[in-house]
Amino acid sequence: MVKILIALSLLLSTKAFAFSLSVSNGAFFKENIVKVNIGDNCQNLGVTSDGLLSLAVEAAEQFWNKVPTSRLRLEQGAVVSVAAAFRTDAICSTDNPCIPNPDLTHSHEVLITCNTNASNFANTSIIALTVPNSVAGQNIISSTLLINDNAGNQFQSKSRAEQISILAHEMGHAIGLGHSPVTDSLMYYRSLASRFRLGWDDIDGITFLYPVEQPISGCGSVDLGTKPPSQMGPLMLGFLFALLGGYVFRKNLKS
Ligand SMILES: [Zn+2]
């Protein structure tokens, strides 16, 4: 119900409804807290696994964890060992649409790991790829984020701030968002160098997928500003005294 209301409010707003979703059925993590973990297989990023974990945590804090209308919090996980397939395999078994490679499933919610597969990274301009690769119905169970770790990769030549925004963009895919056509969005598909905060379309997207729930018992209600019943008694008493006072005053005038 909350998502329907949010979708309606977004449609009725003057802004365009632009964000897209990374899973066609609009899948999302059902948990409020999702851990971000690092696979220990990177060799050419110029940063240690612990350093990469720090970058990921900063990406979460600087971008996705700052949205008050979203229930989702991305938190620091751990550096974990991963199978060789995470470094060598294609992210999709078949493309268009991508059927996620079952050999890259895992139990780490969001897993950031390094990869050198030629079909994943046909050229060095592709910095990273992400797919929610374990989805049950509308629930994302886990997502895999692969960073291009080939020699000469672009990630290692980026500034720290750019690396953070690159990870934040890929984490956006991991939690269920696709690309946005809005150019100042983190989820715009290119020019990540200048992204240091979320745009309004990113905020709309994460709020749509992860609305803050406000449980209500029975029907929802709206307060029209009337006095609560407990204050009506004294008010009525005062009104009666005023009537009585006026009556006595007029009677005294006549007499
Ligand atoms: Zn992207």
Side-chain angles (χ1 to χ4, degrees):
M1 174 59 98
V2 175
K3 282 190 177 174
I4 293 170
L5 291 174
I6 289 173
L8 278 174
S9 67
L10 293 175
L11 285 169
L12 293 172
S13 73
T14 53
K15 291 184 298 189
F17 184 68
F19 64 83
S20 62
L21 305 169
S22 61
V23 185
S24 59
N25 68 353
F28 53 89
F29 282 97
K30 68 180 178 192
E31 297 82 6
N32 289 341
I33 295 173
V34 170
K35 300 281 189 190
V36 179
N37 303 277
I38 304 295
D40 64 346
N41 66 352
C42 299
Q43 298 174 9
N44 298 311
L45 296 187
V47 61
T48 64
S49 297
D50 285 330
L52 195 55
L53 184 57
S54 295
L55 289 171
V57 170
E58 284 191 53
E61 293 297 331
Q62 186 180 328
F63 291 89
W64 300 114
N65 289 355
K66 277 194 169 166
V67 183
T69 48
S70 162
R71 66 174 174 80
L72 181 69
R73 290 295 174 269
L74 294 168
E75 289 195 350
Q76 177 174 331
V79 175
V80 299
S81 58
V82 293
F86 284 90
R87 185 164 182 83
T88 57
D89 279 22
I91 197 167
C92 304
S93 295
T94 57
D95 293 318
N96 298 320
C98 172
I99 305 296
N101 181 348
D103 291 340
L104 301 188
T105 55
H106 54 84
S107 58
H108 301 296
E109 297 187 318
V110 174
L111 177 65
I112 299 173
T113 178
C114 278
N115 184 276
T116 58
N117 182 278
S119 62
N120 289 337
F121 305 108
N123 59 67
T124 55
S125 69
I126 303 172
I127 301 175
L129 293 169
T130 302
V131 67
N133 61 344
S134 181
V135 178
Q138 243 192 327
N139 292 330
I140 298 175
I141 310 300
S142 64
S143 292
T144 298
L145 192 165
L146 302 181
I147 303 176
N148 185 345
D149 196 37
N150 286 296
N153 71 78
Q154 284 203 36
F155 188 88
Q156 51 91 28
S157 64
K158 299 292 184 187
S159 69
R160 180 180 178 81
E162 289 167 337
Q163 289 175 340
I164 289 170
S165 65
I166 289 166
L167 291 176
H169 174 96
E170 296 302 321
M171 286 155 70
H173 290 316
I175 61 176
L177 288 170
H179 284 143
S180 168
V182 181
T183 54
D184 72 350
S185 300
L186 175 69
M187 296 313 294
Y188 188 61
Y189 71 100
R190 61 188 303 183
S191 301
L192 289 165
S194 58
R195 304 286 179 264
F196 301 113
R197 63 184 67 84
L198 294 179
W200 61 261
D201 195 49
D202 304 311
I203 294 169
D204 280 354
I206 192 173
T207 303
F208 174 77
L209 286 175
Y210 300 93
V212 174
E213 303 280 353
Q214 290 185 310
I216 50 175
S217 50
C219 296
S221 62
V222 62
D223 185 348
L224 295 176
T226 52
K227 295 287 183 188
S230 61
Q231 294 181 22
M232 291 302 286
L235 279 175
M236 288 301 291
L237 207 57
F239 181 65
L240 286 173
F241 273 120
L243 277 179
L244 189 61
Y247 174 75
V248 171
F249 179 71
R250 280 202 305 274
K251 207 161 167 48
N252 286 340
L253 280 179
K254 286 179 186 170
S255 61

